Every structure is written in C-alpha cells, then in structure tokens.
Amino acid sequence: MKRSIRTKLFLGLSALMLFFVFISLGMTLLGLEKFYIWQKKEILISSSKKIYDLYEGNPEAMSLELERLGNTMGAGILIFSADGRIKYSSFFPVINDKISDRMPPPFLPFPDHKADEPVPRPHPFPDPPHHNQTLSKETIDNNSVLEMQRDTDLKIDFMVLRRQLKNNDALVIRLPLAPISESATVAAQFMALTGVLAILAGGIWAFFFAGNFTRPVRELNRIAQSMSKLDFSQKCTINRRDEIGELGNSINHLSDQLDTAISELNRKNQQLMADVEKERKLDKMRKEFVSNVSHELKTPLALILGYAEGLKENIAQDEDSRNYYCSIIIDEAEKMDKLVRDLLNLSQFDSGFFKLSRADFDLSILLKEIVLKYRTVLAEKGITLELDTEESCLVNGDILRSEQVLLNLINNAIDHTEFARKIKIYVENYNEKSRIYVYNSGRPIPTESLEKIWTSFYKVDEARTREYGGYGLGLSIVRAIQELHGNRYGVENVPDGVIFWFELDRVQNV
Ligand SMILES: Nc1ncnc2c1ncn2[C@@H]1O[C@H](COP(=O)(O)OP(=O)(O)OP(=O)(O)O)[C@@H](O)[C@H]1O
Ligand SMILES: [Mg+2]
C-alpha cells in the first residue's frame, strides 16, 4: 500500500515523541533511585574530604564551616575524639564541652544548663535511641568507610560516612535518604500523565507540521507527474529560500526548457512529415509525368516509324501515296514538336525562374487581331465567333504569355463547340482587373472534372481528345501563366455551354 510522505513524517515524529516519553519514564523508574544515591554519596565523600583538609584537631576553629556543610547537605555531622567523646555534633553543637551559643535556646537539650558550664554528659555514653541495621558497607579509601543503614524504629535509611581525622579523631556524617523509590514512582506517574498530554499536543503539532513541511514536495510531485504527461502548463509556486525552493525553480526551468524543446521537435517533425509528403507527391508526379510523356510520344513515333519504313520499302508506289505517307509523317512530327514545346513551356513556368516581361498593352487590339487570324479557320468549321469588347482596354502583363492563354482557351472552345457552334469572347472590367470570358456552346464539363482539368495530361474524355490530337497540357499552361501573373482563372458550366475566364491587371485611364 502506498503511504504518503506526509503520513510517514507524521508517524516518524509521533514515534520519536513516544520513544522519548518511554525512555524518560523507564529512566525515571529504573535509574532515579540509583542516581540519587550516587549523587548523595559523592556529596558525602567530597564534604568529608573537605572537613579532613580543614580539621586541625579543634572543631571550634571550623564550627561555621561544619554548620554550613551540615545544613546544606541536610546531614548530621559528628566528631569524636579517640576516647569516644563527642567533640562536635551538629545536633547539639558542643564545642569544647560547651554548647555553642549559636544554638537557639528552645533546642537546648538540658534546660537547666548554663551556656558557659560544661555539658553534663551522661556516662557511659547513652545507648543510641534507635536500632540501626547495617545494609551494606563500602570502603572508600584507607581511612573512610561508607555504610548504608536502616533505622528499624524510624524506618528510614541512612547513608553514614566514617572518616579518620587528624589526632585520631573520627568524623561521622549521617545523611537520611528520602524514600526515593516512592518518589520515583510518583515522578514516573506524573511523567506518564505529562507524556500522554505531550504526545497528544505533539501529535497535533506533528500532523500540521508534516502537512506544512511536505506540501512543497507534494506540489513538486504533482508538477513532475504532469510533466511526465507532457503537460508543461503547471508551474511550481513555492516561494522558499531553501533547497526545496531551489528545486522548485529548477523544475520550472526544466519544464520551460522541455516545453520549448518538445515544441521545436514537434514543429520540426511536422515540417519533416510535410517535406516527406511533398517529396512523395513530387516523386509520384514525376513518375506519372514520365509515363504520360512516353505514352503521348508512343503513337506519333509508331506512326512516323511505320510510314517511314513504308516509304523505304516502296510500299507506296505512286506519287500521291508517297505524298500521303510524307504528310502523315510531317503531321505526327508536328504533333510531337507541339508536345515538346508545351512541355518545355510548362517546365519553364513551373521552374520558379521564369521572368515575365510585363508591359501595358491594349487588350481590345490583341483580341481583334486574334479574331482576325481565326476568321478563315472558323469559317471552314462553320463556327460563329462573336467579340464583345470596348474600343480600348488597357491592361498590364506579359503580352506574349497572355496571348498564349487566349489561344489555348480559343483552341479548346473550337475543339469542344457543339450544337449552335458558337463562340463568344467578351471582357468585363472591374476595379483593378479586366476579366476575359471565352464561351462556347457545347456539352458541360462533369463537376468532378472541373478541378482536375488544370493538371497536366488530364483529359475528360480520352477518345474525344484523341480526335483533335490534344495532350491535356493547354489548361496547365494557362494555370501556370496566370499564377506567374498572380491573377485568377476559372471555368463554369452554363445551361448551353462552358465559359472559361482569366483576369489581367487593369491599367486605369488617367
Ligand atoms: N471548352 C471546353 N469544353 C469542354 N471541355 C473542355 C473545354 N476545354 C477543355 N476541356 C476539357 O479539358 C481537358 C484539358 O484541356 P487542355 O486544354 O488542358 O488539353 P487539350 O485541349 O485536351 O490538349 P492540348 O491543349 O494540350 O492540346 C480537355 O481534354 C477537355 O476534356
Ligand atoms: Mg487545349
């Protein structure tokens, strides 16, 4: 099961708090009593050493120091002479057999005694009022012993240190030990209570701390996950001046860099795909073109070859037959010549290097000249041609190429005119353009072919095109010339025929 970093941190902090609470509880229960005894022992030993150093045989000389030590330790200090007399007692400060005048009167052990009189001491020394039971004994050094005693009447334990002083006097320090084990239990109970409270409060704190502390990490994780899904719109908003803040900045930077790099990569990939597709199309077009050209050359070449061989073999016996053979060879050679010229034209126009020779010219004059040239041919074919143009119409463009466009359209109109056998050429002037229309009566072009007729070698009706010897290149040349001029062109079917049109830049009469 996945556990969040927040939960982990919270559990870790809580465990740490529990650990400390249990450690201090255990230490209190197990070690407090030992520590207390050790500490008291150290105090007793150091105090006894101090007394040993200061003691010259007369307690009076250091009575103040003895009293101070006794009071600060909370212990009774006794000094015995070698013959067992009490030379000093912190309970009854006897100094040189006289009770110290520092002892307050109510504590005088002998009410009738005058301060300057010798202390009436019962002899022999009275039995100790209580019974002491020695629990343990430990030799500290050559002249000191430490005992643990239990007063069976008072039920109190004492720590007693005996040390040999100068003059063979003996020092006894008796320190009552508080019932420390009980205190330790109470302390442990209190600590358990405070521990529970501390854990509760600490738990709440740890919960919020873990949430706060891990929030940036969770945010970074979320951003990194979006980045892995290539979504670079998410940005890190951590505003901290530490390693996590720096990490946030680095991730933002990385995201920007990746975004740019991947966008660039995508762009280049698309470009590459487009290039590959373009190359594929070009290659296909090239193959089609070669197959089309060879297809178109096949028939005239076969005819030329056949008739030329016929002439050589003297199959045509008479003059007329030979003339007929020759005219067919010439005819087919002319067709091939036209095909080659058209192809050259087209490849020039499509090469991108062809330069138009633009000039202003009168479109009306051009149209009238062309109509004049066609008069005989049209008359022979029984076609009526009508020209409708203004007296003068100034346009700008490459006059030779524009004438080529017109001738291609008129030739097509002648080849396709039917029914009324009528062709009409007319011009409409717009603001910046003059549009030339070439109409012929006849059958409409199928809608699905209207787009395709502008591509090389496309023929709507193969058989019919073969009749008039077309290659399907005329309209491709129209398209190429119009594109070079930057002008539009088009075709539309009308109820009784077809209208082709193209535009030229109009020169405004000033
Ligand atoms: N006026 C028209 N009426 C009907 N169909 C036409 C007309 N003009 C062109 N087309 C169709 O468009 C095709 C392409 O014309 P395009 O001028 O490019 O070639 P073509 O006339 O067949 O041969 P080329 O012009 O190379 O001698 C023609 O084969 C024909 O089917
Ligand atoms: Mg044509």
Side-chain angles (χ1 to χ4, degrees):
M1 194 184 80
K2 188 185 157 194
R3 208 178 263 170
S4 77
I5 185 170
R6 177 189 182 155
T7 319
K8 278 183 187 163
L9 187 63
F10 170 67
L11 290 177
L13 286 171
S14 305
L16 193 69
M17 284 186 290
L18 265 176
F19 174 74
F20 280 122
V21 167
F22 277 116
I23 281 280
S24 38
L25 259 177
M27 296 272 282
T28 310
L29 277 172
L30 301 174
L32 187 62
E33 191 174 359
K34 285 189 182 107
F35 178 74
Y36 174 78
I37 288 171
W38 171 82
Q39 201 195 29
K40 291 293 175 194
K41 191 172 130 186
E42 289 300 307
I43 290 172
L44 277 193
I45 293 170
S46 72
S47 300
S48 73
K49 279 182 181 162
K50 203 168 186 179
I51 293 170
Y52 178 86
D53 291 341
L54 291 173
Y55 190 71
E56 298 290 348
N58 180 14
E60 191 179 8
M62 52 178 296
S63 64
L64 269 176
E65 186 63 26
L66 287 172
E67 253 190 273
R68 198 182 58 75
L69 277 171
N71 284 323
T72 45
M73 280 189 291
I77 300 176
L78 292 160
I79 297 176
F80 293 93
S81 64
D83 57 3
R85 279 186 315 114
I86 298 176
K87 284 181 85 173
Y88 176 83
S89 162
S90 61
F91 304 113
F92 318 111
V94 177
I95 293 161
N96 286 341
D97 289 348
K98 289 180 187 159
I99 292 175
S100 163
D101 53 4
R102 291 179 46 75
M103 204 61 194
F107 292 101
L108 280 175
F110 311 107
D112 303 333
H113 174 255
K114 305 272 185 304
D116 50 349
E117 285 177 3
V119 179
R121 177 159 22 92
H123 195 75
F125 203 75
D127 285 336
H130 308 298
H131 298 286
N132 287 329
Q133 181 190 346
T134 301
L135 300 175
S136 66
K137 199 169 188 176
E138 183 187 345
T139 307
I140 304 297
D141 51 35
N142 280 342
N143 52 13
S144 50
V145 176
L146 186 83
E147 279 177 30
M148 299 294 283
Q149 292 180 351
R150 172 161 296 156
D151 189 315
T152 47
D153 294 333
L154 289 176
K155 294 190 175 54
I156 296 176
D157 288 351
F158 286 91
M159 190 182 271
V160 179
L161 187 128
R162 297 169 198 280
R163 183 181 273 275
Q164 188 77 46
L165 296 176
K166 289 161 194 157
N167 295 340
N168 277 339
D169 288 352
L171 168 72
V172 176
I173 306 177
R174 196 163 181 255
L175 180 81
L177 293 175
I180 189 64
S181 56
E182 261 177 49
S183 306
T185 316
V186 173
Q189 282 171 350
F190 182 70
M191 279 192 70
L193 186 71
T194 49
V196 168
L197 289 177
I199 286 172
L200 276 179
I204 294 169
W205 171 82
F207 181 77
F208 287 109
F209 175 77
N212 252 342
F213 191 78
T214 56
R215 186 177 304 127
V217 179
R218 282 179 284 138
E219 187 178 337
L220 287 174
N221 183 36
R222 187 175 51 74
I223 290 166
Q225 278 179 350
S226 336
M227 277 168 70
S228 72
K229 290 171 194 151
L230 299 184
D231 170 12
F232 301 106
S233 60
Q234 307 279 335
K235 287 283 172 281
C236 177
T237 52
I238 302 165
N239 192 13
R240 288 164 60 142
R241 294 172 130 204
D242 56 10
E243 287 85 348
I244 292 184
E246 276 175 20
L247 182 63
N249 286 340
S250 304
I251 285 200
N252 279 350
H253 185 62
L254 180 71
S255 163
D256 286 344
Q257 297 277 67
L258 276 177
D259 196 8
T260 322
I262 288 178
S263 306
E264 180 70 3
L265 207 67
N266 275 342
R267 200 185 57 72
K268 286 200 170 147
N269 195 31
Q270 274 171 8
Q271 172 88 40
L272 199 72
M273 302 258 283
D275 286 353
V276 168
E277 182 63 13
K278 203 167 143 191
E279 191 59 36
R280 215 173 51 79
K281 271 189 186 159
L282 271 175
D283 195 50
K284 193 172 164 234
M285 275 166 66
R286 217 172 287 132
K287 281 181 185 152
E288 275 177 12
F289 186 80
V290 172
S291 100
N292 281 328
V293 172
S294 32
H295 177 77
E296 296 299 342
L297 285 174
K298 219 159 57 188
T299 322
L301 273 176
L303 284 171
I304 291 171
L305 216 62
Y307 282 93
E309 272 172 5
L311 279 177
K312 195 181 167 197
E313 304 291 330
N314 266 330
I315 291 171
Q317 301 286 336
D318 55 296
E319 182 75 21
D320 284 353
S321 300
R322 275 198 295 278
N323 281 345
Y324 173 70
Y325 275 44
C326 285
S327 71
I328 286 190
I329 291 172
I330 292 167
D331 223 38
E332 292 306 316
E334 273 175 353
K335 275 189 195 166
M336 280 170 58
D337 179 54
K338 182 184 176 290
L339 173 66
V340 171
R341 270 188 288 116
D342 280 356
L343 282 173
L344 275 176
N345 267 331
L346 203 57
S347 79
Q348 268 182 328
F349 298 151
D350 284 340
S351 70
F353 295 107
F354 186 82
K355 283 268 169 287
L356 291 172
S357 322
R358 279 179 175 272
D360 293 350
F361 62 91
D362 194 329
L363 178 65
S364 299
I365 296 175
L366 177 70
L367 286 173
K368 281 172 197 160
E369 279 175 10
I370 291 173
V371 170
L372 207 66
K373 271 191 224 165
Y374 271 96
R375 211 174 40 186
T376 332
V377 183
L378 291 171
E380 276 172 14
K381 297 196 177 203
I383 298 169
T384 45
L385 191 144
E386 191 184 316
L387 174 65
D388 183 3
T389 174
E390 287 171 16
E391 200 49 46
S392 163
C393 176
L394 259 192
V395 290
N396 180 277
D398 188 321
I399 185 164
L400 280 178
R401 301 302 149 202
S402 302
E403 185 180 0
Q404 203 176 348
V405 170
L406 259 171
L407 294 182
N408 280 350
L409 294 185
I410 294 170
N411 284 338
N412 280 354
I414 294 170
D415 289 335
H416 293 93
T417 182
E418 278 184 53
F419 315 132
R421 297 190 72 75
K422 191 177 161 189
I423 296 177
K424 185 176 176 184
I425 302 171
Y426 56 100
V427 180
E428 275 178 11
N429 289 320
Y430 301 98
N431 269 348
E432 292 176 347
K433 304 283 177 190
S434 290
R435 189 179 279 192
I436 302 101
Y437 294 88
V438 179
Y439 156 84
N440 69 274
S441 60
R443 268 176 264 189
I445 300 173
T447 322
E448 67 273 12
S449 298
L450 285 175
E451 287 275 318
K452 298 176 188 161
I453 52 174
W454 306 99
T455 46
S456 309
F457 296 108
Y458 183 81
K459 298 148 198 167
V460 176
D461 183 343
E462 279 274 356
R464 196 165 141 50
T465 310
R466 209 177 300 123
E467 276 175 25
Y468 64 84
Y471 293 116
L473 288 175
L475 289 180
S476 304
I477 292 170
V478 170
R479 171 189 54 77
I481 293 173
Q482 284 306 104
E483 280 171 2
L484 279 173
H485 277 90
N487 279 328
R488 299 197 299 157
Y489 55 93
V491 57
E492 61 190 83
N493 288 318
V494 285
D496 53 350
V498 178
I499 300 179
F500 278 83
W501 59 266
F502 71 100
E503 286 182 348
L504 277 170
D505 294 331
R506 191 168 167 220
V507 178
Q508 308 284 347
N509 289 324
V510 192

